């Protein structure tokens, strides 16, 4: 049989509600059902309706996440630009070798075709991911940027072959 609601229960619901606890938290603490807590709250003239607060908090969280995505998209674009600059630049190779496992470096006038392909893949991935995080909007010139990158990659493939 259900346990009757006491004045002590009512007082605890009032106190916990004033402390900012939600209905389910109060129900857990008082070992009562949510329905019982709602009935007590209704009798006391208090409400757990926080839809406005929840909506505002959700909007703030969404705005924060959008800002974080935009900042990370910028980081990815920076990575793409840095790696793209390496495609035709001097390239340092590192090597462990020989019977004594000696470390050595040497500079090449530019990366090998395989390394250029790897750099282009890194650039393409970084740009693609940044565009997924912050999709372009109409009128921002992003179509021109996309065609510029496509043109750049096509010229690089033509110049260095697709080995």
């Amino acid at each position: 049989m259900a346990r009757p609601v006491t004045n002590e229960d009512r007082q605890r619901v009032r106190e916990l509600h004033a402390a900012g606890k939600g209905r389910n938290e109060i129900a857990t603490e008082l070992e009562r059902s949510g329905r019982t807590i709602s009935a007590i709250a209704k009798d006391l003239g208090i409400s757990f309706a926080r839809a406005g607060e929840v909506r505002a908090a959700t909007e703030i969280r969404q705005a924060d996440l959008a800002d974080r995505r935009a900042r990370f998209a910028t980081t990815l674009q920076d990575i793409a630009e840095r790696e793209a600059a390496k495609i035709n630049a001097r390239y340092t190779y590192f090597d462990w070798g020989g019977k004594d496992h000696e470390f050595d470096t040497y500079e090449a006038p530019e990366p090998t075709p395989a390394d250029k392909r790897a750099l282009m893949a890194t650039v393409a991935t970084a740009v693609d991911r940044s565009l997924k995080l912050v999709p372009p909007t109409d009128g921002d010139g992003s179509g021109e940027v996309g065609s510029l990158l496509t043109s750049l990659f096509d010229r690089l493939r033509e110049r260095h072959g697709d080995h």
Side-chain angles (χ1 to χ4, degrees):
M1 179 167 193
R3 193 173 69 196
V5 175
T6 66
N7 286 336
E8 184 181 332
D9 291 332
R10 288 182 185 88
Q11 182 59 33
R12 289 292 295 146
V13 168
R14 186 183 304 279
E15 290 169 1
L16 293 169
H17 180 270
K21 301 257 185 186
R23 184 193 75 154
N24 293 341
E25 289 177 290
I26 294 171
T28 299
E29 189 164 326
L30 298 181
E31 297 178 348
R32 296 288 195 154
S33 71
R35 185 174 180 174
T36 299
I37 299 302
S38 293
I40 294 171
K42 184 177 178 186
D43 290 344
L44 294 172
I46 58 178
S47 171
F48 291 103
R50 298 182 341 180
E53 294 173 24
V54 170
R55 186 172 26 260
T58 300
E59 288 173 5
I60 290 168
R61 186 173 62 249
Q62 288 173 340
D64 288 345
L65 288 172
D67 180 56
R68 289 174 64 191
R69 282 192 306 272
R71 283 186 281 134
F72 193 63
T74 300
T75 299
L76 289 170
Q77 287 292 333
D78 292 343
I79 291 168
E81 291 172 16
R82 184 182 66 236
E83 296 304 303
K86 294 177 184 178
I87 292 173
N88 290 316
R90 293 193 63 75
Y91 203 75
T92 302
Y93 286 93
F94 305 90
D95 187 30
W96 286 96
K99 66 179 181 171
D100 296 327
H101 300 287
E102 295 174 351
F103 179 75
D104 192 20
T105 63
Y106 66 94
E107 293 247 339
E110 60 183 34
T112 64
D115 289 333
K116 287 184 180 194
R117 250 192 337 274
L119 289 166
M120 288 190 303
T122 300
V123 170
T125 300
V127 169
D128 178 64
R129 295 302 182 250
S130 74
L131 290 172
K132 285 186 178 172
L133 286 171
V134 181
T137 57
D138 291 338
D140 68 353
S142 59
E144 296 170 22
V145 172
S147 62
L148 177 65
L149 285 173
T150 302
S151 174
L152 170 67
F153 289 136
D154 288 345
R155 284 198 314 266
L156 286 169
R157 284 187 195 103
E158 288 171 9
R159 182 172 174 191
H160 300 287
D162 194 16
H163 301 158

